[in-house]
Amino acid sequence: MDFIIEAALKAIKHLYQTELTAADISLQETRKEFEGQVTIVTFPFTRFSKKSPEQTGNDIGIYLQNELKEVSGFNVIKGFLNISLTDAYWLNKLDTEILPNDFALFKPNGKKVMVEYSSPNTNKPLHLGHVRNNLLGFSVAEILAAAGYEVIKTNLVNDRGIHICKSMLAWQKFGNDETPETSGLKGDHLVGKYYVLFDREYKKQIDELKQIGQTEDEAKKNAPLIKEAQEMLQQWEAGNKDVISLWQTMNSWVYAGFADTYKNLGVGFDKFYYESNTYILGKDIIDEGLEKGVFFKKPDNSVWIDLTDEGLDEKLVLRSDGTSVYMTQDLGTAQLKYNDFHMDSSIYVVGNEQDYHFKVLFLILQKLGKTWAKGLFHLSYGMVDLPSGKMKSREGTVVDADDLMAEMEQTAKLQTEAMGKVEDFGADEKQQLYHIIGMGALKYFLLKVDPKKRLLFDPNESVDFQGHTGPFIQYTHARIRSVLNKAGYSNTGKVGIETLSGIERDLIVSLSQFPDIIQVAAAGFSPAIIANYLFELAKAYNKFYHEKSILQAEDEVLKQFRLQLSDASGKVIKKGMGLLGIEVPERM
RNA sequence: GGUCCCAUAGCUCAGCUGGAUAGAGCAACAGAUUUCUAAUCUGUAGGUCAUAGGUUCGAAUCCUAUUGGGAUCACCA
């Protein structure tokens, strides 16, 4: 559309002797209820045109129509100049841009970006909150890759700490050597079971201590179980062989379980970082910060940074006993990741409860003079809540990721069977389809909304399969493939027709926006933009499908064109859904 | 208490850097299948964009205050 802006600039210069730049012209899609495809807002020009918005629009409209062969007409309503482009223009666009295989394919832009997501704890299985995180991270990575970035997907696994020791201790005490094999439980679920068990026993001890007169806080500190867990953590840090061995065993169970869940979710990583390796890092940065005077030491030897000038607080970066806190680790890990990859930017997909932490982290790195710190971005997303409130692993009130996926597949199965369209499928093929549809519904449900907003998930009202949903878009794809197959379609080059109906033009306009949409979504790290675009596109296609007969078109040339249009729509849907991590079936 | 995020139809959400009469889906109601997949399509109904000011030719969008919801401000991670 740049050529219209350029021509409009020339028009304004010619008509009103005023030099503007492209940024001064606001070009937008024409609203559906008006004639035309692009609209220029003329209010801002009245200052120097010294005419009414209508008159100004008219002047520019006439100029554009005379100068540009692509402009077939225009109309002015209030301050809006609606421009119609010729069918030849749109058909040419379809022919030369949209139909070729390199449509919406961006060349590498030479920029490297890291997306860190998932970042699980190894003491319990993944739940719905993690699902949102994983899908967001994966999708953002796909979108950035499509936009031309070199992407490194990383996962920083939180594999050490007191919470892990809780699971270990509970297993040691109450586990009777239970393993995933003997129990038949998935490894992460087995470990999670002991995490919950720990908490239950711990609470009992707290209650007992309160009975004999201790306060809540005292009881929490004095309960024998928590003391044992803390001791275990110290032994872990000291490298006690038995503790390390137990830790390795239980972590390996968890990793096997996670691998399954990740596979089901369809996400993956290029590089894993483990906190057990990185938690000691960051001490160098502390020294560096002290030298540069960014940090200061308190009399007890703890190290702090004063951020009160920035409207934040004083923040501890190293304990008085010289051990790391979360911030120390993250400083070190940030440096490590940069040393490993020298990326231009780095995106942390982490929940919004850590907004403050990341704000501080990035600020500290900037104050330390790390030039790469300006490329850091916290992609913060809202919590997923249940109707009953917050999910809490310890209390077992979570929607488990594995259970949820199984339920989605089950629902997909019931819905599909009720329709009876794929009875000729083999058992494996059916299972595969249920997976695709169930996951499509779930993924779309989670990705179509702005990440910033918290999400309410009601397990009783299972995710929809109709309307603004993943299966709606998947269905549109299946429908397209069905027509193409029936027609024995193969791409035959040139589009033969010369005039378009309204809905056909709308569809081409919609398709032509896809590359821009990818770039906008990449710039905003927003799968939701892709999701909402695909819904609009699928709606437009379905409308076209109802209004126009494809196989029964009036003549062969028209039929071929409609097949080409269908093919192009199907490809964009497939690629776009791919950016959301959603597969599309050939039939459903 | 300080800071940050959110508030749009009964419900779930779009609304890009300010632009036209604020749009979808679900739910409700009324229709469409001798024709390419009805997980579809068409229509009806549903709004003081939390409230009050301000900036502007123009505000759901920007600014300020207020209200409501959430998060955070640990020598936890």
Side-chain angles (χ1 to χ4, degrees):
Chain A
M1 291 296 150
D2 288 347
F3 72 99
I4 293 181
I5 294 182
E6 234 168 82
L9 289 172
K10 271 168 67 185
I12 288 162
K13 188 176 174 193
H14 172 82
L15 292 166
Y16 312 123
Q17 292 75 49
T18 305
E19 295 262 10
L20 295 181
T21 60
D24 300 317
I25 295 191
S26 109
L27 205 64
Q28 50 191 264
E29 203 185 333
T30 304
R31 283 175 156 248
K32 286 220 158 48
E33 57 267 37
F34 302 105
E35 189 85 11
Q37 293 91 48
V38 280
T39 294
I40 295 176
V41 183
T42 63
F43 290 106
F45 311 145
T46 54
R47 198 167 308 144
F48 47 79
S49 75
K50 310 270 190 247
K51 291 179 180 171
S52 69
E54 292 85 347
Q55 190 57 49
T56 309
N58 245 310
D59 292 349
I60 299 171
I62 291 169
Y63 183 93
L64 291 180
Q65 193 168 11
N66 289 336
E67 291 295 309
L68 296 174
K69 64 177 191 321
E70 294 91 346
V71 174
S72 62
F74 69 92
N75 63 84
V76 180
I77 293 160
K78 297 192 201 165
F80 301 91
L81 168 59
N82 302 320
I83 300 162
S84 299
L85 298 167
T86 62
D87 287 350
Y89 169 79
W90 291 111
L91 286 165
N92 181 55
K93 192 139 191 131
L94 179 65
D95 227 353
T96 60
E97 286 179 36
I98 299 172
L99 280 172
N101 287 326
D102 62 352
F103 178 56
L105 220 55
F106 290 96
K107 294 203 183 71
N109 64 11
K111 296 248 171 70
K112 208 188 269 187
V113 55
M114 176 178 285
V115 181
E116 179 191 297
Y117 68 102
S118 200
S119 309
N121 291 339
T122 58
N123 63 329
K124 53 176 193 260
L126 304 178
H127 60 64
L128 181 52
H130 297 110
V131 173
R132 187 177 200 188
N133 179 304
N134 280 280
L135 298 180
L136 250 181
F138 180 78
S139 177
V140 165
E142 290 298 299
I143 291 167
L144 288 167
Y149 291 85
E150 182 189 340
V151 179
I152 305 129
K153 294 186 280 232
T154 60
N155 188 349
L156 175 60
V157 182
N158 187 351
D159 62 344
R160 64 166 284 282
I162 188 76
H163 47 291
I164 317 281
C165 292
K166 288 178 181 175
S167 294
M168 286 160 62
L169 188 66
W171 182 85
Q172 217 174 34
K173 280 185 158 344
F174 316 113
N176 300 316
D177 291 324
E178 194 178 33
T179 68
E181 288 74 30
T182 62
S183 67
L185 278 174
K186 205 161 154 275
D188 50 337
H189 288 261
L190 178 67
V191 173
K193 176 176 137 187
Y194 287 99
Y195 186 66
V196 173
L197 190 58
F198 174 94
D199 206 57
R200 203 160 62 208
E201 295 299 319
Y202 178 38
K203 280 211 173 106
K204 269 191 215 160
Q205 293 186 348
I206 292 173
D207 285 343
E208 281 163 18
L209 290 176
K210 272 160 63 179
Q211 298 262 315
I212 57 169
Q214 297 200 4
T215 65
E216 174 99 24
D217 284 352
E218 283 169 346
K220 276 185 179 169
K221 261 185 226 159
N222 294 334
L225 265 178
I226 196 72
K227 288 194 155 171
E228 276 187 82
Q230 277 158 353
E231 202 174 304
M232 191 180 243
L233 180 61
Q234 278 167 15
Q235 284 172 354
W236 181 92
E237 295 202 8
N240 177 304
K241 260 209 289 197
D242 294 339
V243 172
I244 297 281
S245 158
L246 174 62
W247 172 74
Q248 282 170 338
T249 303
M250 287 183 74
N251 267 354
S252 73
W253 295 345
V254 171
Y255 293 140
F258 282 175
D260 256 18
T261 307
Y262 285 144
K263 188 170 171 240
N264 243 333
L265 276 171
V267 304
F269 306 92
D270 303 308
K271 168 92 180 169
F272 284 83
Y273 287 97
Y274 296 91
E275 284 195 14
S276 54
N277 294 327
T278 63
Y279 82 103
I280 320 173
L281 296 174
K283 304 273 177 79
D284 294 347
I285 295 200
I286 301 301
D287 293 340
E288 187 185 333
L290 283 170
E291 248 169 64
K292 290 183 177 167
V294 176
F295 300 150
F296 66 94
K297 217 172 229 183
K298 287 197 177 175
D300 65 357
N301 267 332
S302 58
V303 182
W304 297 73
I305 184 165
D306 182 359
L307 297 170
T308 46
D309 287 350
E310 277 80 10
L312 305 173
D313 306 296
E314 281 187 358
K315 185 84 187 171
L316 176 86
V317 292
L318 193 71
R319 289 194 190 102
S320 50
D321 63 6
T323 58
S324 326
V325 289
Y326 183 35
M327 187 60 76
T328 330
Q329 285 180 46
D330 261 9
L331 286 166
T333 312
Q335 181 71 60
L336 174 69
K337 291 196 291 185
Y338 180 73
N339 292 348
D340 283 351
F341 292 99
H342 286 88
M343 58 280 190
D344 299 282
S345 52
S346 191
I347 296 155
Y348 294 78
V349 183
V350 182
N352 65 5
E353 74 249 352
Q354 296 196 32
D355 284 356
Y356 183 75
H357 172 76
F358 281 102
K359 204 168 166 179
V360 171
L361 174 67
F362 298 164
L363 192 57
I364 292 177
L365 288 166
Q366 270 167 26
K367 281 180 171 279
L368 287 169
K370 310 287 180 192
T371 51
W372 44 269
K374 64 180 185 306
L376 302 175
F377 181 80
H378 174 204
L379 177 51
S380 159
Y381 62 91
M383 297 290 101
V384 183
D385 292 333
L386 303 175
S388 54
K390 242 192 131 162
M391 290 193 285
K392 293 208 180 83
S393 306
R394 274 177 300 190
E395 291 165 21
T397 60
V398 292
V399 176
D400 177 75
D402 296 318
D403 293 349
L404 176 61
M405 288 191 283
E407 271 169 44
M408 292 306 300
E409 282 184 27
Q410 183 59 26
T411 310
K413 180 179 173 185
L414 293 176
Q415 300 252 352
T416 306
E417 280 174 349
M419 298 195 197
K421 291 180 189 172
V422 292
E423 275 151 6
D424 58 315
F425 274 28
D428 286 355
E429 223 178 343
K430 276 185 185 164
Q431 198 47 50
Q432 175 70 8
L433 180 65
Y434 303 150
H435 175 75
I436 290 176
I437 297 173
M439 291 306 291
L442 178 63
K443 289 181 180 184
Y444 195 87
F445 174 78
L446 291 172
L447 288 175
K448 76 173 176 187
V449 309
D450 181 352
K452 275 208 295 274
K453 297 196 173 165
R454 51 195 280 257
L455 210 61
L456 190 75
F457 184 84
D458 188 344
N460 297 320
E461 288 177 33
S462 59
V463 182
D464 268 330
F465 284 62
Q466 267 138 36
H468 189 184
T469 66
F472 170 87
I473 300 170
Q474 291 174 319
Y475 172 76
T476 309
H477 181 264
R479 198 175 222 190
I480 290 170
R481 296 304 308 162
S482 170
V483 184
L484 294 177
N485 283 331
K486 223 158 240 181
Y489 171 81
S490 62
N491 194 2
T492 52
K494 278 254 158 216
V495 172
I497 63 158
E498 283 168 6
T499 56
L500 289 165
S501 67
I503 181 63
E504 290 163 341
R505 191 182 306 108
D506 288 349
L507 196 46
I508 297 177
V509 171
S510 190
L511 289 168
S512 73
Q513 291 163 348
F514 187 44
D516 281 346
I517 293 287
I518 292 177
Q519 289 298 338
V520 172
F525 310 124
S526 173
I529 288 178
I530 302 279
N532 287 303
Y533 164 76
L534 291 174
F535 176 61
E536 293 302 323
L537 178 65
K539 265 202 302 188
Y541 183 83
N542 281 319
K543 193 172 176 177
F544 158 75
Y545 182 91
H546 267 265
E547 278 184 27
K548 304 292 172 189
S549 180
I550 298 166
L551 299 179
Q552 284 355 274
E554 292 89 76
D555 58 66
E556 270 307 303
V557 180
L558 188 58
K559 175 177 162 186
Q560 187 62 22
F561 159 72
R562 286 182 183 160
L563 286 169
Q564 287 173 313
L565 195 52
S566 299
D567 185 32
S569 304
K571 281 180 176 157
V572 169
I573 287 172
K574 183 170 186 169
K575 175 162 179 172
M577 289 292 261
L579 299 181
L580 301 177
I582 301 176
E583 294 177 81
V584 287
E586 291 290 301
R587 283 179 57 193
M588 68 185 276

